[in-house]
Structure formats: structure tokens, C-alpha cells
Amino acid sequence: MIGLISATAAGAAARDRLAAAWPDRVRVYDGPVGDAVRRAFAECEQLVCFLATGAVVRLIAPLLSDKTADPGVVCVDEGGRFAVSLVGGHGGGANELAREVGELLGAEPVVTTATDAVGVPGLDTLGLPVEGDVAGVSRALLDGEPVALRAEVAWPLPLLRAGAEGAYTIRVTDRLVEPGEREVVLRPPSLVVGVGASRGAPADEVLGLVESALRDAGLSPASLAELATVDAKADEPGILEAAERLGVPLVTRSADELAVVEVPNPSDAPLAAVGTPSVAEAAALVGGGELLVPKRKSERADGRPAMATCAVVRRPGRGRLSVVGLGPGARDLLTPRAKAELRRASVLVGLDQYVDQIRDLLRPGTRILQSGLGAEEERARTAVEEARKGQAVTLIGSGDAGVYAMASPALAEASDDIDVIGVPGVTAALAAAAILGAPLGHDHVSISLSDLHTPWEVIERRVRAAAGADIVVTFYNPRSRGRDWQLPKALAILAEHRTPTTPVGVVRNASRPDESSRLTTLGSLDPATVDMMTVVTVGNTATRDIAGRMVTPRGYRWQASQEGPR
């Protein structure tokens, strides 16, 4: 929960804007400011104070205890010009909160955390448990001192300014080791523990078995990614509670999936009970990896038979490919999630003109692999190859990367040996629709008129289907200098089913500085005024021009009673 505190009318107005935008995230604290700050500090994970920074410093100074436990605090000035991350930049999330508040209020986020200021990833912001001399190693990275990266477990990480040698060390390991002097240990989630249990197995027995198996093998519980078992045990209370106490998800597999996994210690007992000769080992190995701890049984102080088994597997580090949609071009239509993925990348792959749009958002030193138009398949292959090397790769495309963009060629190249993350973006069709009014209020379809990858016969069949079904159509890639007959042909097909007065919206460079738009009709549109940077949206028989806006009613029942001007 985010506590909101203000003292003046201007502060209250800005506060209320946040409260309206984030109704489920915030709580407004009224009353004397000092009391409000103290209550919010004790009750909330974060605070936004619409007060002078000096006043907030004096109010929270007696309350501060530890940066890992204190809430993040952001200050917004009286004029709403700046959102200052005051304390808890990383641990309390104040840096990111300052950016969010800044975007919402139109204020400039002020982040003075050294790593954020110069684009170096904070070691405590990598999403991995971290131990050791975080401050010292971070300072060395900032000062450009040699820092060695020793990856005992290969894991995709954001760009780190580290090499093979150095007086300081970043160690990536799942081993149960204590960090040395001038060393930081990062714990990747590389360990999977497979668990089997008799019905009614106590949680303490399951938990004790898992913890002892890790400890005896010299493995850190901080690197535990999940508990895994057969789906017949998905509701076993002891296993569920053990997973909850370990802070990891419980993943279940069918008996058929487990039965085909080769294991060193199969048994007739689980085969008879749940239909697979192995639960613990097979559940841990089903995703591949190295068996570090073969099946072992729990030990009971009363000497009764064991009720739980477990096995430990180290899964190989997998490369990470994020496929990111940049939206239609305007920076404020680039999603926060997309920005986070851009900053997370150690390798960026993209079309040169799209790279130029977001180059300033990349961390210094990010390796950029860019190419020109027509090299989509090459970019897809490159991105997948880099991910297979264990890199954190971001592949960018305009709009939504899954719509006429890079996601489909990349996923066609990728197999299950890398992790793939999709980050949606605002499409050109949606950006154009918002400019035109509400043309997509009912069923709609997007069709690309480019026959570079699709035969025209296929495209024409789709246009005819949409025309006959009375569906709103948005045309991508409608016309180029070397391809000028497809749009007139498509419009003629639609004209067989729709009147000449059917509204048509034409938007060029939606959301960009040179954006232009106009509302015309099917009978009046001149295809020669359209180019590849244009999106053309043709309404259905219910679409109307209402006050200069293109509107498609949500239901045909409206037609009789809502006839508007054409």
C-alpha cells in the first residue's frame, strides 16, 4: 500500500489525482502532517509526500531503521514539477515509484541513487537474492575498477561491467558459500526439488527433508526455484505448506509425464500408488538438468517408516529472450514493462530506426545488433542465437511485437531451450482508432495488404470474407510506390457489400509528431493519398460519422434508434 500525505490545497489536488488513478494501491492520510507521516510510515510499503523534502527529512529521520525494511519515500514539490526519490530507492522501490508518479503527474523524476544515475544495474535490483559486500562492489563498478564475474552457474543477467579479473568479485552460484572480502554472491533460481509423500505426511517432515538434502549437498536454499511433484499430490497439505514456508511455487506434473523420465531409482510403490515409477526424481528431472541429490527418504525420530522422499536437480541456466512491442512511436505510449525490459537487456536486437527511438533508454554498454528493412528473419535468428548463448536478449518491434512484427519469426526459430517473454505494445490499429473515435467498437479484423510474405490470392480471400461478414477492417501496409493496386482492389471488394457513404478513417504516423488523420467515405477515398505509414480503417454497415468521429456501435440493436448524421 502507498500512503499519500499532503499539507496544502495544491498538494491535495495532486494527491487526489494519484488516488483516482490508483484506487487499489493508495491510502490517503489526513490530519496533522507529522501524525500522518508517522502512521503511513508504520503501515505502508511506500509513501508519496506532497511536501518539501526538508520537511519530510525531519519527519522521517527518527523513524528510519534499516534500508532493507524502511518504506520507499517519494516527495513531490508544491508546483508538481519534480518527484524525488528520497529514501528506499532500491529496497523500498522509491526510484521506480518516482518514475511512475512522474509519468502520471507530468513531473520530472529525480533519482540520485548512483547506479541508476549512470545506468549501472544495482546489484540488489537484478531480481536475484544477493549477499556480501553489495556497497563495496557497487562502488567499484561505479568507479570503473576491475570487477571479476565468476559464474559457477550460467544465468542470463543484465549488463554488468565485469570481466575475468579484478580486486572485487561478483560470484553467481547456488552453492552454500559465504561471500569473501570484496565479494558479492548472487543466487540464481537454479535448483528444483522433486518431492513425493504419503498421504498425510506432516509439513515439518517434508520441509526438514528438503532442507537437509540441500544442506548436506552444500546447496543454498536461496537458489531454490520450485518444489515439483505428481499432480495426484497437488492438494497434499504437507507438501503445500512446505512450499509456502520455503517461499517457492509448487509445480505438478501428470503421472504420464513423469513415467517417461529416465531415473536412476525407479520403484514399484509409486507406480502402484500414482501411476509412475518415480515421483521425486522424475518431477525434478522432467525439465532436464543435473541430478545433484538422488532420491532420499525422510528420517523420523519415532523410527516409523518415512513418509516423504525428495531429489534435487540443478537446471541449466537458460538464455532469456524478451520480445518487446515499442508501441506506435510516441514515448508516452511505450509501456513501463517495455522500458524495464530494455534496461534489463545485455543484448538488443532490432531494426535500426526502432533502435534509434529507444537508444537513450538502454544501459551504457548494451550490445546493439541492428539491421535495416527486409532483414526480419535474420534479426529473429540472431536474437535466438544470442539467447542460446545464455544472454539476456531483447528483440524489439513496433506496435505490438506479435502483430505483423518480430514475435512470430522469433518464436518460429526458438525451441524450448530458452525462456521467452512477450511484452505487449499499443498497435498501430489501436492508436489510429483512438484518434478516429471508436471505429473498433464491434467485431473487427486487421489485414495486411503486403503480398511480400503472403500471396495476393490469400489476402483477397480474407478481404472477401471480412466484407461478407460485415466486419470493420483495418488495413496495414496498404500501399507503397511499388505496390499500388492492392488497396483499390480491396476497397472495391468491400464496396460490393457496403454503401459509398461508409465511413473510412485514414491515419498516418499515429502518435508521432507528424501525425495526420482524416475521416472520409468508401466512395470518396483516393488511394493515391495513402502510403506505407498509413493505417486505413473501413467501417461496417453500422459505423457512423458522429460529430466528426468514426463510431461503430457495440450492438446492431442500436442502429434503429441511434441513427446519426452520416
Side-chain angles (χ1 to χ4, degrees):
M1 187 62 67
I2 303 170
L4 305 182
I5 302 101
S6 62
T8 66
R15 175 204 68 194
D16 291 344
R17 287 176 62 190
L18 283 190
W22 299 338
D24 299 326
R25 295 180 62 189
V26 303
R27 179 185 302 158
V28 174
Y29 285 80
D30 293 317
V33 169
D35 292 342
V37 168
R38 284 188 287 273
R39 285 188 289 122
F41 198 93
E43 297 170 358
C44 297
E45 291 82 20
Q46 295 174 320
L47 281 69
V48 178
C49 299
F50 297 86
L51 306 165
T53 54
V56 177
V57 167
R58 287 190 293 272
L59 288 169
I60 68 171
L63 309 176
L64 296 172
S65 59
D66 184 279
K67 71 175 186 178
T68 62
D70 292 333
V73 179
V74 170
C75 291
V76 178
D77 66 290
E78 182 74 5
R81 296 170 300 169
F82 303 103
V84 182
S85 174
L86 189 64
V87 298
H90 286 165
N95 291 350
E96 184 56 35
L97 180 60
R99 296 185 181 102
E100 288 188 81
V101 171
E103 284 195 18
L104 187 60
L105 299 181
E108 180 72 23
V110 179
V111 176
T112 58
T113 307
T115 51
D116 291 77
V118 300
V120 175
L123 296 173
D124 53 352
T125 66
L126 299 180
L128 303 180
V130 58
E131 305 167 14
D133 187 11
V134 176
V137 175
S138 297
R139 192 161 48 246
L141 288 169
L142 290 167
D143 292 343
E145 295 187 41
V147 176
L149 178 61
R150 296 178 183 164
E152 299 173 12
V153 177
W155 209 261
L157 295 171
L159 181 73
L160 293 171
R161 296 175 182 171
E165 300 293 336
Y168 294 82
T169 303
I170 299 172
R171 186 176 179 185
V172 184
T173 183
D174 54 20
R175 292 287 174 186
L176 191 60
V177 295
E178 289 295 326
E181 187 178 0
R182 297 183 173 183
E183 182 177 65
V184 160
V185 173
L186 296 175
R187 305 288 190 189
S190 55
L191 303 177
V192 176
V193 175
V195 177
S198 303
R199 183 164 299 281
D204 286 341
E205 183 171 344
V206 177
L207 182 63
L209 174 62
V210 172
E211 291 176 336
S212 65
L214 293 172
R215 182 177 60 250
D216 294 348
L219 300 169
S220 172
S223 283
L224 182 58
E226 63 189 45
L227 292 190
T229 191
V230 65
D231 56 9
K233 298 295 180 181
D235 59 353
E236 187 62 45
I239 297 178
L240 288 168
E241 184 178 338
E244 182 179 359
R245 288 162 65 178
L246 288 164
V248 297
L250 176 65
V251 176
T252 62
R253 307 280 187 177
S254 70
D256 290 342
E257 287 181 272
L258 300 187
V260 299
V261 178
E262 292 188 12
V263 297
N265 301 292
S267 172
D268 291 335
L271 180 60
V274 294
T276 173
S278 171
V279 172
E281 287 180 340
L285 283 167
V286 72
E290 177 187 4
L291 183 62
L292 302 179
V293 180
K295 182 177 72 174
R296 60 186 285 175
K297 297 181 179 181
S298 56
E299 296 181 1
R300 308 190 72 183
D302 58 10
R304 298 176 65 186
M307 297 188 72
T309 61
C310 82
V312 183
V313 164
R314 176 186 288 134
R315 293 212 176 142
R318 293 161 59 89
R320 186 179 192 275
L321 173 62
S322 63
V323 187
V324 174
L326 300 180
R331 178 59 60 86
D332 59 354
L333 292 182
L334 178 65
T335 67
R337 187 179 300 180
K339 293 177 184 177
E341 286 296 334
L342 293 172
R343 292 184 62 79
R344 194 188 195 286
S346 59
V347 178
L348 181 88
V349 181
L351 179 67
D352 47 14
Q353 65 191 59
Y354 297 153
V355 172
D356 290 340
Q357 289 180 23
I358 49 82
R359 193 182 296 271
D360 62 303
L361 297 177
L362 305 175
R363 294 190 187 276
T366 302
R367 186 155 59 97
I368 298 174
L369 304 176
Q370 63 185 43
S371 52
L373 286 168
E376 288 83 3
E377 292 181 359
E378 176 190 341
R379 285 195 292 277
R381 283 193 297 270
T382 297
V384 172
E385 288 168 3
E386 290 295 325
R388 284 183 175 141
K389 296 175 185 177
Q391 300 286 344
V393 181
T394 294
L395 174 63
I396 57 174
S398 67
D400 182 284
V403 179
Y404 303 124
M406 292 306 302
S408 55
L411 269 61
E413 291 284 337
S415 53
D416 62 358
D417 57 346
I418 62 173
D419 292 326
V420 178
I421 296 90
V423 179
V426 177
T427 66
L430 293 178
I435 294 165
L436 294 169
L440 309 183
H442 207 291
D443 297 335
H444 53 274
V445 63
S446 295
I447 299 176
S448 171
L449 294 183
S450 171
D451 54 5
L452 180 63
H453 298 290
T454 307
W456 173 254
E457 294 76 13
V458 175
I459 296 172
E460 181 174 338
R461 188 164 66 246
R462 292 170 179 171
V463 174
R464 290 191 179 280
D470 197 29
I471 295 175
V472 176
V473 181
T474 296
F475 289 122
Y476 279 71
N477 306 312
R479 184 177 180 274
S480 67
R481 281 180 292 183
R483 191 175 47 75
D484 59 3
W485 59 268
Q486 288 89 342
L487 179 60
K489 176 65 173 177
L491 294 174
I493 293 170
L494 291 175
E496 295 173 10
H497 299 266
R498 302 177 195 184
T499 67
T501 59
T502 300
V504 176
V506 180
V507 181
R508 188 176 190 277
N509 283 334
S511 87
R512 301 187 183 188
D514 56 346
E515 166 191 301
S516 64
S517 66
R518 67 184 188 278
L519 185 56
T520 182
T521 64
L522 187 57
S524 302
L525 174 62
D526 180 3
T529 62
V530 173
D531 63 12
M532 284 288 286
M533 306 304 292
T534 306
V535 171
V536 177
T537 300
V538 182
N540 65 13
T541 57
T543 305
R544 298 288 182 267
D545 175 349
I546 300 176
R549 302 181 185 92
M550 187 175 179
V551 180
T552 302
R554 289 183 61 189
Y556 283 83
R557 297 171 185 164
W558 297 10
Q559 258 184 285
S561 60
Q562 296 292 328
E563 289 287 343
R566 297 189 178 224

